Amino acid sequence: MNRRSYSLVYFLLGIYSIMVSWYYNHSIILLILHWIFWPIYLLYEVLTGHLSHDMWKHIPLSYFK
């Protein structure tokens, strides 16, 4: 993968963290904080189990239904 592919993956994971944050919190302030620190936030969500049991798929799909 080249540098451009890495930046696209980084951007998409940032968008994903925004989706997860809004799904669980519904707060603009927390959404901004989670977007700034999204790698730490996604790691936290994985370690606490909020993305287990297919929730990692359900959350993005819930925005398009």
Side-chain angles (χ1 to χ4, degrees):
M1 288 176 63
N2 58 11
R3 190 176 201 67
R4 187 174 187 182
S5 298
Y6 286 127
S7 63
L8 182 62
V9 170
Y10 192 82
F11 174 74
L12 290 176
L13 284 174
I15 297 296
Y16 184 74
S17 70
I18 289 172
M19 290 177 160
V20 171
S21 175
W22 187 257
Y23 184 83
Y24 285 118
N25 302 312
H26 293 288
S27 170
I28 297 293
I29 295 169
L30 286 176
L31 182 97
I32 293 169
L33 282 173
H34 293 154
W35 180 64
I36 293 170
F37 301 110
W38 72 263
I40 298 166
Y41 176 66
L42 280 182
L43 183 62
Y44 168 77
E45 290 293 323
V46 167
L47 291 177
T48 58
H50 288 143
L51 296 178
S52 62
H53 304 293
D54 287 336
M55 285 304 289
W56 65 272
K57 287 191 303 190
H58 176 72
I59 292 171
L61 292 176
S62 69
Y63 290 102
F64 299 108
K65 287 184 179 180

